[in-house]
Amino acid sequence: VRVVVGDVGGGFGMKTSLYPEDVLTAHCARTLRRPVKWCAERLDDFLAASHGRDVTARAELALDGEGRVLALRVDSLANLGAYATPAGVEIQLLVGPWVSTSIYDIPVIDVRIRGVLTSTAPTGPYRGAGRPEAIYFIERLMDAAARKTGIDGAELRRRNMIRPAQMPYRNPMSKTYDTGQFAKVMDEGIALSDPQGFEARAAESKRHGKLRGRGMATFLEWTGADVFTERVTVTVGPGADGGGEIEIFSATQAMGQGLATTYAQLAVDVFGVPLERVRIVQGDTDRGTGFGSAGSRSLFVGGSAVHVAANETVDEARKLAAHELEAAPGDIEYREGRFRIAGTDRAIGLFELAGRQPGRRIVVDSTSTVDDATWPNGCHVCEVEVDPDTGAVVVDRYWSVNDVGRVVNPMIVVGQLEGGAVQGIGQALCEQFVHDPQSGQPLTGTFMDYALPRASLVRRFEMAMDESTPCRNNLLGVKGVGELGTIGATPTVVNAVIDALVRAGVPAARAEALPMPLTPE
């Protein structure tokens, strides 16, 4: 069986599982010995593809008189749908609890999560996969505790944050954080969000008949999917135009996150050749197979593997160059695509060297492993306007500071953060799959019925990155970023809406009881 993948217009988790149609199509093609095409319509996806995040929870936080958290209790019912998928179970009963204490030094936890079978479509991965639910619980509790104790929300969080001196830190779920400067990131996030100007902006909103609220979330994210080994094949040859080409094959899969660009940049860092001389190849199981792209592991694991493979290729080529130049390998220098005997003008180009080899190419098949997961983290702040007459909510401003370790391509990272945040905002304000309560008939089977998040949900984004705390578990120092924005956005927006209502005189208990999504109704 050979699987060839073309352009993928986003993944976000729904495409993780094997669907019956995948197997049936392959079976028909094999049985009939003819090409068979199956194409889902939009309604098929709404009805039969996996759904996400159907969880109801009661969460409690115990604090001492100084605002230090003593214990956390979470009791959840997770809808697994009409039949349980492996990923659907794992996300709710395993992955979510891993980050239930987030960036806080909470000594005691009591986590109870029960998977429930219902009549709905099965639930499965969706951007963040378990972590958004867990972070939502703890960040909602932090704001509720701040109101209850009278301690400022940022100060309450600061008192409970894990300190850099405690790293590496083992949380109550036996997960080890390698690095993190959580208070520093929070301070940067607050400073970016112009807290001094809030009262003036609130007064302006009031003049327009709107309620204004401000919300925050500080949090971390687990990335890597706990699959830490990746294989990369590097081929150096003359190229189609004769000018030379470095082809890099990886079993990770681009699906809108710019992997080809980022991997090529990593290769250029090692080889020192023009970017147009590097070609990234993915999506062909005859070339190589692996775990693929999931759990924000592509750059962290796959990119690290590209870096290792590129260096191994230079080392192998150095030995070949030493033979060609009749010198010891230790005397050979490599720079910008050329090998030179140190202190002389005797040299040979990388592509010329490859052309002299059997098959006119140099091939290196490399397998490498990173040490453990990464723990990107951030502080997200937003201000919302609520129309008291219609209940409509608009996110007026959204700021974030994100510790994603070393940044290879800032434009791609910011795009990931903004896109992820919009998906989280969609969950907070509008996204909901609705069934008729009497018949079970789905009522949101098209984009005319289902409230998809749009760019107009947010008036202004400002995403910043903090690169001062590189990851210690991979050679590049990078941390996963693809799901970080989604995880922080949902509690940030809901906390802001609750803040707007409480400021307007709604009793805190009533405001805090509102369930997502916070639709106008």
Side-chain angles (χ1 to χ4, degrees):
V1 176
R2 181 186 186 191
V3 179
V4 180
V5 182
D7 289 334
V8 180
F12 308 124
M14 192 189 78
K15 298 173 183 176
T16 301
S17 302
L18 189 70
Y19 289 104
E21 294 86 354
D22 302 327
V23 180
L24 184 61
T25 304
H27 171 70
C28 290
R30 185 171 182 176
T31 302
L32 300 173
R33 298 185 178 278
R34 297 187 63 184
V36 176
K37 178 180 180 180
W38 171 74
C39 184
E41 295 182 352
R42 184 74 69 192
L43 182 61
D44 296 328
D45 273 345
F46 270 109
L47 297 182
S50 61
H51 294 185
R53 309 216 225 287
D54 192 357
V55 180
T56 300
R58 177 179 176 84
E60 300 172 84
L61 204 61
L63 301 94
D64 67 16
E66 300 302 314
R68 288 284 302 172
V69 176
L70 303 174
L72 167 69
R73 176 184 289 138
V74 179
D75 189 354
S76 296
L77 292 176
N79 177 21
L80 303 178
Y83 55 93
T85 63
V89 173
E90 178 186 4
I91 286 165
Q92 297 302 340
L93 277 65
L94 184 67
V95 176
W98 283 345
V99 298
S100 54
T101 55
S102 186
I103 60 175
Y104 306 113
D105 188 10
I106 299 176
V108 179
I109 63 171
D110 176 9
V111 177
R112 182 192 192 201
I113 302 178
R114 288 167 287 173
V116 182
L117 297 179
T118 71
S119 61
T120 71
T123 53
Y126 178 60
R127 199 172 192 174
R131 288 94 77 193
E133 298 92 313
I135 296 301
Y136 180 76
F137 300 152
I138 187 66
E139 285 305 299
R140 286 289 311 278
L141 283 170
M142 280 291 173
D143 262 29
R147 277 188 286 271
K148 190 86 168 178
T149 62
I151 302 172
D152 175 73
E155 176 57 28
L156 184 69
R157 288 171 168 85
R158 189 189 316 280
R159 292 181 191 183
N160 289 284
M161 284 178 178
I162 301 159
R163 302 183 305 279
Q166 293 175 271
M167 297 294 177
Y169 176 86
R170 190 177 178 89
N171 77 7
M173 291 300 295
S174 297
K175 287 293 178 181
T176 301
Y177 309 159
D178 60 325
T179 60
Q181 300 188 69
F182 307 129
K184 176 177 181 288
V185 170
M186 182 181 71
D187 289 341
E188 292 172 352
I190 293 172
L192 182 68
S193 67
D194 183 25
Q196 294 81 12
F198 174 75
E199 293 302 332
R201 293 190 292 272
E204 182 66 18
S205 296
K206 187 175 181 179
R207 279 195 292 273
H208 291 89
K210 305 292 173 60
L211 313 178
R212 194 176 192 92
R214 183 176 170 90
M216 179 174 71
T218 53
F219 63 100
L220 57 58
E221 138 84 322
W222 160 85
T223 69
D226 275 8
V227 182
F228 300 134
T229 298
E230 198 62 55
R231 173 187 169 196
V232 169
T233 304
V234 180
T235 304
V236 182
D241 63 356
E245 179 181 81
I246 299 171
E247 181 196 273
I248 296 175
F249 177 85
S250 170
T252 57
Q253 182 60 52
M255 44 188 169
Q257 72 277 57
L259 287 187
T261 300
T262 303
Y263 283 3
Q265 288 181 266
L266 292 173
V268 168
D269 285 347
V270 175
F271 288 109
V273 300
L275 189 68
E276 58 268 21
R277 293 296 168 193
V278 179
R279 185 164 72 98
I280 307 299
V281 179
Q282 297 176 300
D284 185 345
T285 59
D286 270 11
R287 298 290 305 276
T289 61
F291 184 77
S293 292
S296 300
R297 72 183 292 272
S298 298
L299 180 59
F300 159 49
V301 183
S304 295
V306 168
H307 176 79
V308 170
N311 278 288
E312 289 180 358
T313 303
V314 170
D315 291 342
E316 177 63 23
R318 179 180 283 107
K319 298 173 187 175
L320 299 173
H323 178 75
E324 288 287 337
L325 298 173
E326 299 179 334
D331 294 334
I332 302 296
E333 298 176 340
Y334 177 77
R335 185 177 180 184
E336 296 180 350
R338 292 186 67 78
F339 292 97
R340 184 183 306 276
I341 300 175
T344 76
D345 59 358
R346 294 183 59 200
I348 186 170
L350 173 63
F351 299 118
E352 179 187 353
L353 178 66
R356 296 186 183 184
Q357 306 310 308
R360 302 188 70 231
R361 60 182 188 169
I362 301 169
V363 180
V364 172
D365 199 348
S366 171
T367 299
S368 58
T369 303
V370 298
D371 295 335
D372 204 343
T374 74
W375 302 93
N377 55 90
C379 173
H380 288 211
V381 183
C382 83
E383 291 180 10
V384 300
E385 284 190 334
V386 180
D387 187 325
D389 296 322
T390 66
V393 177
V394 173
V395 180
D396 186 50
R397 299 176 182 223
Y398 197 106
W399 306 268
S400 74
V401 172
N402 304 272
D403 169 13
V404 294
R406 179 192 173 197
V407 174
V408 177
N409 188 308
M411 185 172 66
I412 287 176
V413 171
V414 170
Q416 289 275 27
L417 292 168
E418 291 184 349
V422 169
Q423 285 184 271
I425 294 166
Q427 180 179 354
L429 297 181
C430 62
E431 289 197 72
Q432 185 176 31
F433 199 92
V434 180
H435 298 84
D436 178 77
Q438 264 65 51
S439 66
Q441 173 72 23
L443 302 178
T444 46
T446 74
F447 285 143
M448 293 296 289
D449 314 302
Y450 185 89
L452 194 70
R454 292 173 168 80
S456 58
L457 275 180
V458 185
R459 291 174 179 158
R460 173 183 165 184
F461 264 132
E462 190 168 354
M463 302 291 192
M465 295 161 289
D466 183 323
E467 297 187 62
S468 65
T469 315
C471 177
R472 296 175 181 171
N473 290 332
N474 67 87
L475 292 171
L476 299 176
V478 300
K479 304 176 185 180
V481 69
E483 297 163 280
L484 191 65
T486 307
I487 293 166
T490 307
T492 301
V493 170
V494 175
N495 281 341
V497 173
I498 293 172
D499 180 66
L501 297 177
V502 171
R503 288 175 184 271
V506 176
R510 185 179 175 193
E512 290 168 355
L514 286 170
M516 286 193 296
L518 299 177
T519 61
E521 291 81 4

